[in-house]
Amino acid sequence: MSRRQRPDYIPNKIPNDDTYVRILDTTLRDGEQAAGAAMTCSEKLAVAHQLAKLGVDCMDVGFPATNSKDAFEAVKMIAKEVGNNVDENGFVPVICAIARCVKGDIDAAWEALKEAKRPRVIVFIATSEIHMKYKLNKTPEEVLKLAKESVRYAKSLGFQDIAFGCEDAGRSNKEFLHQIYGEAIKEGATTIIFADTVGYNFPSEVAQYIADMKANIPGVENAIISVHVHNDLGLALANTLAGVQAGARQVELTINGIGERAGNAALEEFVMAVMTRGDDLLGGLHTGIDPKQISETSKMVEEFTGLKIQKTKPIVGGYVFSHASGIHQDGILKNKSTYQIMSPEDIGLDEYSNTSIVLGKHSGRHAFKNRLVQLGYDFDEKTFDELFFRFKEIADKKKGDGN
């Protein structure tokens, strides 16, 4: 699982490496929109520093135009501090903030971000019929006009890196999508975002949307296609992978998959999926993430948001490297690769303290004997058989994950 070199950053292209996927983390904006997940300014700053250590290319850190003064100040503080902290390799993350197609929103984003070395505004507007009719009360023509004017205005303020997103793109008319994305690129958008805002799409649909965007948007060769999906049907990771397989080269993710309703695609899941299967199934796709920072980042976000991680959560859940079945335990004790496709060290954990043989009702003789040896005991066969029988009697009556 070796890491390859991160390409130079150019807003609208990835030079000399068509297999590199940019990671935009939106934990501090979309993730914090999860019910009960509010963080303080100092906590947001700490998370932003950790995201930089993790190696995210871009971080969406908030909505400066919101009524909360803290939201503006947090974005400004992160832009000034994290957005100017160049590491030993010359890397500094892009600091992003979101804005509706409203001049006041874009003004607020510029004021909050302008001190960053690489500021980016994410301008968005809804494009599905249901959103345009019931939420915006606007015609497609009015939405198109707003999108063009907003991207043009963002560029006039000084933004050279502009993302344009279609909210609820996954339920939008494709011809309209192609038109509005094309006009946004013409006005200066460097990234265009396909958003499955309500987690409605299936992987085959996402792949087709991205393929159609590549084939039908005027000027698409001058922009990066990004995918932003939600997990309402449990398909966020699959949809994100489908998007990059079809040609998207930026993905928008959150730590621990937190976010509105059922959450967003989880950064740790996407990164480890690419690291584990990128060469053989994904045409060599890779990211700039340092996976050894995953565990620390996950724990920090869990602590600051108060959103507890399910123990069976992929990659970072407490049970990921635990084994309870006797057959599995026997295999792990003989060779860990029998039942682990990654190791605790890959995500920054210690192998010996985090690969767990959980003794319980499903455990076999091998695991029980191995634990006795660890404790310094060496019994004859008859005594061992008696102890194992008594152990199984007790284990059948106990519940929980303790040994």
Side-chain angles (χ1 to χ4, degrees):
M1 293 187 177
S2 59
R3 294 168 66 202
R4 308 215 293 270
Q5 186 174 355
R6 186 195 306 268
D8 292 337
Y9 185 77
I10 299 173
N12 68 335
K13 65 177 69 174
I14 299 174
N16 307 316
D17 190 348
D18 61 3
T19 61
Y20 187 78
V21 180
R22 284 180 183 161
I23 301 293
L24 181 146
D25 180 273
T26 184
T27 302
L28 294 171
R29 201 272 305 168
D30 211 342
E32 203 206 12
Q33 290 174 203
M39 289 181 268
T40 66
C41 283
S42 61
E43 287 171 339
K44 288 180 180 180
L45 181 61
V47 171
H49 276 296
Q50 181 58 32
L51 290 173
K53 284 178 65 178
L54 180 65
V56 303
D57 300 276
C58 320
M59 56 180 86
D60 173 7
V61 299
F63 181 23
T66 186
N67 291 328
S68 167
K69 183 182 177 183
D70 281 353
F72 178 88
E73 292 302 327
V75 174
K76 188 171 184 176
M77 184 166 51
I78 292 167
K80 186 175 182 178
E81 192 167 320
V82 182
N84 285 280
N85 187 16
V86 182
D87 72 10
E88 64 274 10
N89 299 311
F91 167 71
V92 62
V94 176
I95 308 298
C96 316
I98 201 163
R100 296 166 297 183
C101 285
V102 175
K103 281 191 174 182
D105 283 19
I106 300 168
D107 286 334
W110 175 248
E111 287 303 313
L113 293 171
K114 64 184 181 182
E115 292 187 71
K117 282 189 176 295
R118 294 174 176 169
R120 178 196 292 181
V121 64
I122 302 170
V123 179
F124 77 98
I125 195 164
T127 52
S128 67
E129 183 179 354
I130 193 168
H131 274 248
M132 290 190 289
K133 180 178 179 180
Y134 293 105
K135 188 181 77 173
L136 300 180
N137 193 28
K138 294 186 183 300
T139 65
E141 292 74 23
E142 290 172 317
V143 167
L144 179 63
K145 183 173 182 289
L146 268 176
K148 293 167 61 177
E149 290 174 349
S150 298
V151 173
R152 187 186 311 139
Y153 183 65
K155 189 173 182 179
S156 75
L157 291 180
F159 281 112
Q160 298 178 4
D161 194 348
I162 302 168
F164 173 73
C166 290
E167 186 184 15
D168 206 20
R171 295 190 294 176
S172 299
N173 175 274
K174 285 187 178 182
E175 289 185 4
F176 182 56
L177 279 182
H178 300 158
Q179 181 185 13
I180 197 169
Y181 282 134
E183 292 296 330
I185 293 170
K186 190 183 299 183
E187 296 295 344
T190 51
T191 299
I192 53 174
I193 304 166
F194 170 86
D196 178 17
T197 306
V198 293
Y200 177 74
N201 296 118
F202 270 47
S204 57
E205 291 178 297
V206 173
Q208 194 60 59
Y209 265 106
I210 301 303
D212 290 344
M213 286 168 65
K214 284 173 66 71
N216 295 292
I217 295 173
V220 71
E221 67 278 4
N222 297 315
I224 299 291
I225 296 177
S226 182
V227 289
H228 177 116
V229 302
H230 283 257
N231 202 34
D232 297 68
L233 296 176
L235 294 170
L237 174 61
N239 283 341
T240 304
L241 289 168
V244 297
Q245 284 182 293
R249 284 299 177 266
Q250 179 179 284
V251 293
E252 307 191 2
L253 312 163
T254 62
I255 302 298
N256 301 336
I258 65 172
E260 290 271 11
R261 304 181 312 279
N264 293 50
L267 182 147
E268 63 277 3
E269 294 177 21
F270 177 83
V271 167
M272 294 310 295
V274 169
M275 289 195 70
T276 304
R277 303 305 306 275
D279 287 336
D280 61 331
L281 281 184
L282 301 173
L285 293 182
H286 66 112
T287 75
I289 296 295
D290 178 1
K292 293 188 183 299
Q293 295 293 331
I294 284 175
S295 180
E296 183 177 347
T297 312
S298 170
K299 289 174 182 177
M300 179 183 287
V301 170
E302 180 183 34
E303 178 186 350
F304 288 170
T305 63
L307 299 176
K308 297 302 179 185
I309 300 169
Q310 185 179 357
K311 289 189 176 183
T312 53
K313 165 79 172 63
I315 317 301
V316 293
Y319 288 166
V320 171
F321 301 105
S322 296
H323 306 275
S325 159
I327 294 172
H328 289 219
Q329 291 173 345
D330 181 59
I332 284 290
L333 290 169
K334 291 173 178 174
N335 188 311
K336 289 185 174 61
S337 65
T338 54
Y339 288 101
Q340 284 185 184
I341 60 171
M342 64 193 108
S343 69
E345 308 101 296
D346 292 335
I347 63 166
L349 294 171
D350 174 74
E351 176 186 8
Y352 295 102
S353 60
N354 288 281
T355 297
S356 175
I357 300 295
V358 181
L359 294 183
K361 64 181 290 185
H362 301 296
S363 297
R365 296 170 65 86
H366 190 174
F368 183 63
K369 189 168 189 176
N370 183 73
R371 182 59 54 83
L372 290 175
V373 170
Q374 288 177 340
L375 295 171
Y377 297 107
D378 184 14
F379 297 103
D380 60 59
E381 198 66 24
K382 182 179 179 183
T383 304
F384 173 76
D385 287 344
E386 291 174 354
L387 289 170
F388 183 65
F389 178 77
R390 288 166 60 191
F391 158 72
K392 293 292 279 188
E393 275 190 321
I394 295 170
D396 282 341
K397 297 173 184 176
K398 291 191 70 175
K399 293 184 178 180
D401 56 7
N403 286 309

